[in-house]
């Protein structure tokens, strides 16, 4: 690519118009991010006697899908919202390699 590439004034004007006419970008959150932002509210709801399933259903009725298992993370007695870690699996013994099979193509590479 050339270091001194040039851009015509018409292109600059088109770029300016494009950038000025951009719509506002939606700032969406993932479900886990949303649950984290609502942590304090989940804890207060717990103090009022609600369980994760009830809260999840109430949110769902309003079109907000946050599964109960995400809400439950904030119901821990110690106050830590721990995310379950993937358990390490024990290595499985490797099986003996199977005999290799060869496929003979019906057309050569040059014909393709």
């Amino acid at each position: 690519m050339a270091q001194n590439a040039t851009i015509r004034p018409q292109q600059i004007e088109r770029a300016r118009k494009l950038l000025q006419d951009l719509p506002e970008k939606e700032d969406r959150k993932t479900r886990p991010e949303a649950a984290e932002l609502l942590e304090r509210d989940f804890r207060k709801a717990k103090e009022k006697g609600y369980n994760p399933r009830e809260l999840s259903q109430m949110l769902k009725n309003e079109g907000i899908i946050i599964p109960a298992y995400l809400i439950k993370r904030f119901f821990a007695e110690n106050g830590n919202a721990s995310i379950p870690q993937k358990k390490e699996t024990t290595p499985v013994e490797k099986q003996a390699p199977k005999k290799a099979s060869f496929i003979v193509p019906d057309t050569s590479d040059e014909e393709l």
Side-chain angles (χ1 to χ4, degrees):
M1 187 149 106
Q3 282 184 322
N4 296 327
T6 59
I7 298 175
R8 295 187 308 263
Q10 298 90 345
Q11 291 173 308
I12 293 171
E13 284 304 312
R14 282 195 349 241
R16 179 174 284 132
K17 179 159 178 44
L18 173 78
L19 294 172
Q20 288 174 352
D21 293 343
L22 285 174
E24 202 61 39
K25 189 174 179 182
E26 289 187 41
D27 185 25
R28 293 181 170 227
K29 302 289 182 197
T30 64
R31 289 177 181 155
E33 290 170 336
E36 194 171 321
L37 291 171
L38 295 168
E39 174 182 0
R40 181 179 292 155
D41 302 293
F42 291 147
R43 290 185 192 280
K44 286 180 182 178
K46 177 188 177 191
E47 291 171 7
K48 293 178 181 180
Y50 291 93
N51 67 43
R53 184 174 289 159
E54 292 170 323
L55 296 174
S56 177
Q57 186 60 49
M58 283 184 230
L59 291 170
K60 184 178 180 181
N61 292 343
E62 295 298 317
I64 304 164
I65 308 299
I66 299 180
Y69 76 88
L70 287 176
I71 296 170
K72 189 175 183 178
R73 292 178 182 173
F74 302 104
F75 275 43
E77 291 300 321
N78 60 7
N80 292 334
S82 62
I83 297 172
Q85 298 295 319
K86 219 178 190 183
K87 293 182 181 179
E88 288 190 33
T89 56
T90 55
V92 179
E93 289 184 33
K94 292 183 181 180
Q95 296 177 351
K98 296 181 180 178
K99 293 183 180 179
S101 61
F102 294 97
I103 299 175
V104 180
D106 56 350
T107 57
S108 66
D109 288 342
E110 289 99 26
E111 292 178 28
L112 295 176

